[in-house]
Amino acid sequence: MTDSIHAAERIAKLRQEIERHNHLYYIEAKPELSDYEFDKLLEQLIALERQFPDLVTPDSPSQRVGGAITKEFVSVTHREPMLSLSNTYSPGDVEEFYNRVKKLLALEGVDEHEMVAELKFDGVAISLLYRDGLLVRGATRGDGVQGDDITVNIRTIPTVPLKIEDVGEIEVRGEVFMRKEDFEQLNESRPEEERFANPRNATAGTLKLQDSAEVACRRMSFVAYYLKGIRDESTAHFSRLKLLEELGFSTGNHYQLCRELHDINEFIAEWSEKRWKLPYETDGVVLKLNAVTLWDKLGATAKSPRWAIAWKYPAQQARTVLNAVVFQVGRLGTITPVAELEPVLLAGSTVSRSTLHNFDEIGRLGVMIHDRVIIEKSGEVIPKVISVVLEERPSDTQPIVIPSNCPECGTPLARTEGEVSYYCANEEECPAQIRGRLLHFASRNAMDIKSLGKALVDQLVAIRLVKDVGDLYFLQEPQLEKLERMGRKSAQNLVRALDESRAKSYERLLYALGIRHVGRATARELSQAYPSLEALMQASEEQLATVPDIGPVVAHSICDYFAKPSVPHFLEKLNAAGLPLSASESTEQINRNFEGLTVLFTGGLDRYDRLTASELVMERGGRVVNSVSKKTGLVVAGHDPGSKLDKALKLGVRVVSEDEFEAML
Ligand code: IVH
C-alpha cells in the first residue's frame, strides 16, 4: 500500500518533469537536459508504470512511445467539416480577397476587417478533441466530413499535449509536419529506394502506419492554428492563438495582426525570405479574418470558407547552365549521373549540383552538356533539373555519354534486366563502394561514429589502411596521427569513438552492415526474429519472408549478402573487433547479481529512495518483500532500522549496510 502511494507520487513527479522538459525542448527550444538524460527519466517512468500498471493513465508521457498496433483505423465524423482553403498565387487575388471581405462586412454594417496573417505549414491537417482537459481523439481530415481516428499515432507526437487545463470540450486543428532535420534523419535510415520525396510525404506516410511504436521513432511535430468550442465565442482568432499557446500548444509563433492591405503584403514579402531559415517547410501564408464572430456571416463555399485565403509561394525555380555531368558510385555500386551547374541562388542557398537520378531520366529530359536548364526545389531538399530551355540551346552542346566503365575502378558497368540503373560489380575492391560502406557504417542511425567523416574515410581508403569496416577496429593511434589533418588528439578521439561504438546494439549493427533493402525498421524486425548473426545467416529465403514486413525481395537480398565468399572472413573480423553479433551481447548489460534473492529494506537509505532501491534489485533478478521470514535472503539496513532488523538477526538472515548493498549492485 505505502509502496503504491510512494509510486503514485513519484510517477506524478516524473510525469510533470518529463512534460516540462518536453515543453522546454520542443516549444521553447531551450532544452535543459541532454537526450540521454531525458530518455533516462522516461525509462524510469515506464519501469514504474510497469510495476504499478493501475497507475497508468492516458495522459502519461509514457503513452508517447507507442506500441499499439492498429489493424484498421476507425472512421469518424468531424464535428464540423474540415474545409480547406482557396489558394492563390497572385498578389492581385490577395487584394481582391481583402476588398471583398471588407465590402461584405460593410454591407452588414461592420467596419472590422483586421486579418491574422499566419504561415502555411506544409504538412498534414489533423483535428484534436479534448474533453475534461484530456486528449480523447485525434483524426485525419479525410474527405473533410469523415476522417480516420489515428489517436494512437497522434499521441506519440511530443508537441501534442495529452493533457491541458480543462476549458470545456474543445477542438483544436492544426498541422502535423516533420522538421527538415528529422526528415533527413528518417530518410538517411531508409534504404535508398524507399526514401520519401519530401517531409510532407513522409508525414502522411507515417501517420497512416499501423505500428505506433514506429511512428514514435519518426519524430513528427504539431502546430495548432484553429480553436473551436471555447466558452467565450466572441474571442477573436488572434486571441485564440494566444490561448492555444497558454494551453501548451505550439503555434509556430510567427503570426501577426494586419490592419491594412500593406501590412499583409509586408508579411508575405518578409516571410518569402525568412522562410528558408525556418527548421520546417512552409508553402505560403494564410490570411484569416480576426473577428471569428463574423465567420458565419461570411459563410463558405462547398470547399473553403470565405473568411480565409491561402497565398502560395510560387515553386522555387531558377535558370542556369549545365556545365558537366559526373558519375557517382554509391555504396551498392549504383551509378548516379550528377549535373554540375553554374552556381545559382535558389530557395535561400547556392546550388551548384543536382542529381539526374539515372540515364532514363536524362533521356526523358533530353538534356545535353552546356544546355540552359530550369531547376526546381519543391519540398525536396535536393533541387532537380526539370526541363531544358530548348529555344536557347547553344551550338556547342554535347551529348551525355553513358560511361562503359566505372569512373572509380574501371570495371565494365552492368545493368540488370528491367532496372534503370547501371552498376559497378566490383563490390570488393571499388574504392567508392568501400568508402560508401564505411560512411554508412559510421552514420548517425548506424554506429554513430561522429569522428569518422568523409575526409578521413577518403584518406583511409586511398592509402589502403582500411578495406572494410572491420579494419577500423584494428587501427592504432600512431598510424592515425600521421594522416593529414589528424594529429594526436583527433587520433585519440577516433580510437575512443570506435571503442564506444562496440557497445552499440546488435540491431544497429545489422543496419550498419548496409545490406541492400535493409533499413532501420527491417533491421529491427530481423534482430527480433533472429537474435544473432549466426542464426540470421542460416535462415533460408522462405523463412526470412515470414518475418513481418519482409517480402521476397528483401529476403533474397539478405541471402545474397550472406552467400558472398568474403563474408565468413569479414564476420570473423567483426567478432574479433568485439562488435555485437548477437542481441544478448549488445543489450545494455544489467547484471543478475540478485537472481533468486528475496530482499527486505529496513531503515532509511542515504543515496536511494526505497522505490529506486527496489527497482535496482528487481532489474537484477531479485524480489523485494515487506516482512522478514526464514525465506528472506538479505536485509538491507539503513539508518534507524526498525524491529525488522532485530527479527532478521534472530532468524540468522544476512544483513548488509547501504555501502555493501551498493557494492552488490
Ligand atoms: S486553416 C478552414 N491555417 O492548408 C481553414 N490551414 O489548403 C482551415 N494549412 O487543410 C485551415 N497552415 O492542412 C490553416 N496556418 C494555417 C495552415 C493551414 C497549413 C493547411 C491545412 C489545410 C490546408 C488548406
Side-chain angles (χ1 to χ4, degrees):
M1 180 62 193
T2 46
D3 262 7
S4 122
I5 291 174
H6 273 133
E9 279 170 9
R10 183 88 190 282
I11 284 176
K13 243 197 186 135
L14 274 169
R15 285 179 186 164
Q16 212 178 12
E17 197 57 10
I18 290 169
E19 287 299 10
R20 188 172 76 83
H21 287 294
N22 231 344
H23 194 87
L24 282 170
Y25 185 95
Y26 288 103
I27 301 199
E28 295 191 24
K30 284 185 204 135
E32 285 177 6
L33 294 185
S34 68
D35 287 1
Y36 178 81
E37 289 165 321
F38 182 84
D39 288 348
K40 283 283 156 210
L41 281 184
L42 194 60
E43 272 170 29
Q44 273 181 41
L45 176 66
I46 293 171
L48 266 173
E49 289 185 351
R50 208 168 276 152
Q51 212 179 321
F52 299 94
D54 291 351
L55 300 178
V56 180
T57 55
D59 62 321
S60 170
S62 64
Q63 302 304 299
R64 294 193 189 281
V65 299
I69 306 277
T70 316
K71 281 239 166 65
E72 207 173 325
F73 295 113
V74 176
S75 179
V76 291
T77 306
H78 295 297
R79 296 168 134 206
E80 56 178 280
M82 282 182 81
L83 299 177
S84 75
L85 295 166
S86 56
N87 288 330
T88 175
Y89 291 89
S90 110
D93 284 354
V94 172
E95 182 170 353
E96 199 198 300
F97 162 76
Y98 176 80
N99 288 331
R100 191 174 56 230
V101 171
K102 199 167 158 181
K103 206 163 115 199
L104 281 170
L105 293 175
L107 286 176
E108 302 274 341
V110 184
D111 183 29
E112 217 190 316
H113 53 267
E114 266 179 321
M115 295 284 168
V116 179
E118 300 169 17
L119 302 184
K120 189 170 187 309
F121 304 95
D122 198 6
V124 176
I126 58 159
S127 146
L128 306 173
L129 285 186
Y130 288 85
R131 201 173 294 139
D132 304 324
L134 288 181
L135 170 71
V136 290
R137 188 181 90 183
T140 60
R141 178 172 180 274
D143 62 6
V145 177
Q146 287 190 316
D148 285 340
D149 182 335
I150 53 164
T151 318
V152 281
N153 288 348
I154 285 179
R155 270 188 202 293
T156 68
I157 304 171
T159 37
V160 170
L162 301 177
K163 189 178 180 184
I164 57 171
E165 182 195 328
D166 185 3
V167 285
E169 194 163 314
I170 58 161
E171 179 180 3
V172 176
R173 291 184 185 172
E175 202 85 348
V176 179
F177 61 95
M178 237 176 238
R179 291 156 46 96
K180 292 177 196 168
E181 196 189 331
D182 296 331
F183 165 71
E184 277 164 38
Q185 199 189 342
L186 169 65
N187 254 358
E188 235 179 63
S189 76
R190 295 171 69 80
E192 233 154 90
E193 59 284 357
E194 284 172 28
R195 293 195 177 162
F196 294 105
N198 54 50
R200 183 177 7 91
N201 290 3
T203 308
T206 304
L207 282 177
K208 279 190 277 185
L209 288 178
Q210 291 166 328
D211 177 359
S212 60
E214 176 59 22
V215 179
C217 294
R218 292 201 186 170
R219 281 191 182 241
M220 298 188 293
S221 306
F222 175 73
V223 278
Y225 49 60
Y226 181 95
L227 168 64
K228 266 298 183 75
I230 46 171
R231 289 186 195 108
D232 183 359
E233 286 177 6
S234 68
T235 311
H237 181 61
F238 190 84
S239 310
R240 288 180 190 228
L241 292 176
K242 288 280 172 231
L243 182 58
L244 281 167
E245 284 165 16
E246 279 162 30
L247 290 173
F249 292 90
S250 163
T251 56
N253 239 325
H254 300 303
Y255 52 94
Q256 189 180 304
L257 210 47
C258 298
R259 262 171 237 285
E260 303 298 336
L261 184 62
H262 69 83
D263 299 321
I264 296 175
N265 289 333
E266 261 170 37
F267 185 88
I268 292 179
E270 179 188 338
W271 282 100
S272 62
E273 294 300 325
K274 287 212 289 203
R275 60 189 284 231
W276 306 117
K277 301 213 168 71
L278 291 168
Y280 46 81
E281 308 255 353
T282 60
D283 60 346
V285 166
V286 179
L287 302 169
K288 293 174 189 162
L289 181 65
N290 190 33
V292 174
T293 43
L294 301 174
W295 287 5
D296 282 347
K297 277 212 164 67
L298 292 174
T301 65
K303 279 209 289 208
S304 46
R306 291 202 184 83
W307 43 265
I309 195 171
W311 149 269
K312 296 254 280 185
Y313 296 116
Q316 294 291 308
Q317 292 190 342
R319 226 186 88 133
T320 186
V321 178
L322 188 151
N323 288 331
V325 173
V326 292
F327 300 95
Q328 274 179 356
V329 188
R331 71 178 165 88
L332 296 165
T334 312
I335 309 291
T336 307
V338 176
E340 293 200 325
L341 307 166
E342 195 57 37
V344 60
L345 198 67
L346 173 67
S349 58
T350 304
V351 177
S352 52
R353 291 188 130 205
S354 148
T355 171
L356 288 165
H357 299 288
N358 52 54
F359 296 97
D360 282 10
E361 174 78 356
I362 293 177
R364 199 184 58 76
L365 287 166
V367 64
M368 297 173 82
I369 292 166
H370 298 151
D371 260 337
R372 270 67 187 147
V373 293
I374 305 292
I375 58 171
E376 186 175 295
K377 208 174 194 182
S378 60
E380 297 82 3
V381 183
I382 306 158
K384 55 183 181 195
V385 174
I386 57 155
S387 62
V388 179
V389 189
L390 280 176
E391 314 82 81
E392 292 179 34
R393 175 163 273 176
S395 53
D396 64 345
T397 51
Q398 285 158 20
I400 299 167
V401 183
I402 301 175
S404 46
N405 297 77
C406 172
E408 287 274 346
C409 68
T411 304
L413 296 185
R415 190 180 202 176
T416 313
E417 268 286 314
E419 289 207 0
V420 287
S421 299
Y422 284 78
Y423 67 91
C424 161
N426 184 14
E427 238 175 83
E428 303 281 321
E429 305 284 337
C430 177
Q433 294 185 54
I434 298 175
R435 290 196 304 263
R437 284 195 289 267
L438 291 169
L439 284 172
H440 172 75
F441 185 82
S443 64
R444 190 160 40 165
N445 288 310
M447 303 306 271
D448 194 20
I449 308 168
K450 290 193 186 64
S451 32
L452 190 65
K454 189 174 173 309
L456 182 55
V457 165
D458 285 353
Q459 278 194 75
L460 291 171
V461 176
I463 58 172
R464 294 173 184 268
L465 213 49
V466 172
K467 246 193 86 179
D468 60 43
V469 299
D471 294 339
L472 291 170
Y473 290 85
F474 299 93
L475 290 170
Q476 305 287 328
E477 278 175 32
Q479 286 172 299
L480 291 165
E481 269 174 35
K482 289 191 216 112
L483 298 177
E484 266 172 52
R485 292 188 299 271
M486 274 301 273
R488 183 123 178 245
K489 192 105 192 128
S490 315
Q492 276 172 354
N493 283 346
L494 178 64
V495 172
R496 185 171 341 110
L498 284 162
D499 193 33
E500 283 167 5
S501 75
R502 291 183 166 104
K504 291 271 150 69
S505 67
Y506 163 64
E507 176 187 319
R508 269 183 189 261
L509 180 78
L510 268 186
Y511 168 65
L513 291 178
I515 304 171
R516 189 187 293 267
H517 300 300
V518 176
R520 219 170 39 157
T522 310
R524 185 174 318 138
E525 293 290 350
L526 282 176
S527 72
Q528 277 158 18
Y530 297 94
S532 73
L533 264 188
E534 199 160 329
L536 179 61
M537 280 172 76
Q538 273 154 22
S540 68
E541 246 176 87
E542 293 73 30
Q543 285 167 330
L544 286 168
T546 62
V547 176
D549 291 338
I550 295 185
V553 176
V554 184
H556 182 75
S557 159
I558 296 167
C559 286
D560 244 21
Y561 179 88
F562 288 114
K564 282 187 284 194
S566 60
V567 159
H569 174 64
F570 172 62
L571 294 185
E572 251 168 52
K573 209 191 286 185
L574 296 189
N575 194 23
L579 285 165
L581 303 194
S582 72
S584 55
E585 282 171 60
S586 64
T587 41
E588 235 187 278
Q589 295 280 343
I590 298 181
N591 61 50
R592 306 291 293 173
N593 290 353
F594 287 76
E595 189 80 63
L597 202 60
T598 310
V599 182
L600 176 122
F601 291 96
T602 177
L605 300 178
D606 294 328
R607 291 181 293 276
Y608 306 91
D609 60 60
R610 193 61 78 75
L611 226 65
T612 311
S614 307
E615 268 167 46
L616 292 169
V617 167
M618 287 186 285
E619 275 171 5
R620 288 162 176 74
R623 223 159 64 84
V624 178
V625 290
N626 256 331
S627 57
V628 204
S629 73
K630 271 191 288 203
K631 285 190 209 136
T632 312
L634 184 77
V635 168
V636 182
H639 53 79
D640 306 322
S643 59
K644 288 178 191 165
L645 176 62
D646 302 331
K647 195 169 171 194
L649 288 169
K650 258 188 225 150
L651 289 172
V653 178
R654 183 174 167 211
V655 177
V656 295
S657 67
E658 182 170 349
D659 285 344
E660 286 167 285
F661 169 65
E662 196 162 40
M664 286 178 75
L665 290 173

